[in-house]
Amino acid sequence: TQVKTQDGWKKIEIIQRGEVVWTHRNRLRPVIGVQPHPHVGRIIGIRVQGSTETIWMTPSQRLLSPSPHAERGKGGEDAMRVDPTPTPSPQAGRGDVQRRLGGTRGGLWKLGRELKKNSTGAEKLLWNELRGQKLGIKFRRQHSLGNYIADFYAPDALLAIELDGSVHDSDRQKWADGIRHRQIGQAGVRILRFRNERVLHDLKAVLDEIRHCISPSPQAERGNTTAGPYFRNAGDLKVGDEIILNERGHLCVVESVESTFTNEMVYDLIVGEDQSFITAAGIACE
């Protein structure tokens, strides 16, 4: 995926923390974090009218579209009205997560207790910063989600945090992690992944990324945004659909949609304030 930065178009996998990218509000905002994670499953190729390049995204990656109620024929939308990542209410979706994951497997609490006893140095260090609502929200340690156990989980924010050591570098483990990441994400939980060494040597940056993902959105608190643009999953887009192409609000039409199965690393950006970034196939939400 090509992303529009202050210095021109760059592949998302080479963008670094601290670089500046264009957002849907026509502003330059810093990249707070880059989140690589394994993906096993379907990936969507989208090409818009007037472009020869197909942009590949996971089905859950979101692109900015005009409101279903928008008057057609007008170039652009009021992009200042959109909130890319509405914060859920404290109770939103908490029971739905386990139901979507098929319920909690019996006996996982025993495994979770053992994992707590054998925590790595990185887990202990991060837990010391998360426990006791130090970031303003309750986290649980070694919490079961369906058939899986998340290293840390904040139910009120629907946010899971996974710490990866060298054991996650094998092809077999990357496959398992990719399936796990996709299934938990499909249940409505956002997942942040950090290498153990990042936690040990760059804890402040790790905490900055976590804070950004749990901070309430002012736009979400103001209420309904359905009259303005909204973000749609790439997996839901069809040929002929309109999306907002750039920071100036120009509309374009999806000319082709294809999909294939993949097992590879994909990348997400965490962007300050506006929480979006411009790609060659439209405006993506972090």
Side-chain angles (χ1 to χ4, degrees):
T1 298
Q2 297 281 339
V3 175
K4 189 175 183 180
T5 74
Q6 184 179 28
D7 301 318
W9 291 93
K10 291 185 179 181
K11 292 182 178 180
I12 194 170
E13 58 264 32
I14 68 171
I15 292 176
Q16 302 292 317
R17 170 182 165 85
E19 288 195 61
V20 179
V21 299
W22 285 97
T23 74
H24 73 284
R25 297 182 190 273
N26 196 16
R27 301 193 295 189
L28 287 165
R29 287 295 179 261
V31 174
I32 295 174
V34 180
Q35 282 280 320
H37 64 87
H39 175 75
V40 176
R42 196 164 59 106
I43 194 166
I44 308 297
I46 296 171
R47 183 170 56 81
V48 298
Q49 196 171 43
S51 174
T52 59
E53 183 178 8
T54 298
I55 299 298
W56 293 92
M57 299 181 170
T58 64
S60 59
Q61 181 84 57
R62 292 184 290 166
L63 291 172
L64 187 61
S65 292
S67 163
H69 310 294
E71 184 177 346
R72 300 304 182 194
K74 291 187 176 182
E77 293 282 341
D78 180 9
M80 296 300 292
R81 299 178 64 182
V82 68
D83 174 37
T85 52
T87 304
S89 69
Q91 303 300 322
R94 294 175 63 177
D96 290 340
V97 170
Q98 297 294 3
R99 183 165 60 253
R100 290 170 185 165
L101 288 169
T104 302
R105 193 181 76 194
L108 278 187
W109 66 272
K110 293 182 180 179
L111 177 57
R113 186 169 60 183
E114 289 301 313
L115 291 172
K116 290 177 184 178
K117 291 179 181 178
N118 298 287
S119 296
T120 66
E123 288 172 346
K124 292 176 182 177
L125 183 61
L126 184 55
W127 178 237
N128 189 56
E129 299 297 326
L130 300 179
R131 68 190 306 175
Q133 299 190 40
K134 290 182 180 178
L135 297 187
I137 196 168
K138 181 179 178 61
F139 277 89
R140 297 171 180 170
R141 185 165 52 131
Q142 303 300 340
H143 181 75
S144 59
L145 292 171
N147 290 324
Y148 306 111
I149 294 179
D151 290 332
F152 306 100
Y153 180 59
D156 288 347
L158 299 178
L159 176 69
I161 299 173
E162 297 282 0
L163 302 189
D164 295 339
S166 58
V167 69
H168 291 266
D169 294 338
S170 70
D171 290 342
R172 181 174 181 178
Q173 189 59 50
K174 287 179 181 178
W175 176 278
D177 286 344
I179 294 173
R180 168 194 178 103
H181 195 109
R182 186 193 72 222
Q183 291 182 345
I184 293 176
Q186 287 175 341
V189 176
R190 184 173 187 177
I191 305 168
L192 297 181
R193 306 190 77 95
F194 301 103
R195 298 288 299 188
N196 285 341
E197 52 266 29
R198 274 207 68 198
V199 175
L200 294 172
H201 302 298
D202 198 11
L203 181 60
K204 181 181 181 301
V206 168
L207 293 174
D208 284 346
E209 291 186 39
I210 297 171
R211 286 192 188 96
H212 177 81
C213 294
I214 62 178
S215 297
S217 164
Q219 182 73 19
E221 294 175 352
R222 286 199 289 269
N224 191 351
T225 61
T226 56
Y230 69 116
F231 282 85
R232 297 178 61 187
N233 288 351
D236 295 333
L237 289 172
K238 299 178 179 62
V239 172
D241 285 348
E242 288 184 325
I243 58 176
I244 299 177
L245 182 63
N246 54 36
E247 69 278 11
R248 294 181 295 279
H250 294 159
L251 297 180
C252 64
V253 175
V254 175
E255 194 163 77
S256 72
V257 178
E258 55 185 301
S259 67
T260 187
F261 183 91
T262 188
N263 174 20
E264 62 180 298
M265 294 296 292
V266 297
Y267 294 79
D268 294 318
L269 300 183
I270 297 177
V271 180
E273 294 186 52
D274 294 346
Q275 304 170 343
S276 66
F277 50 96
I278 312 299
T279 77
I283 301 173
C285 173
E286 65 173 46

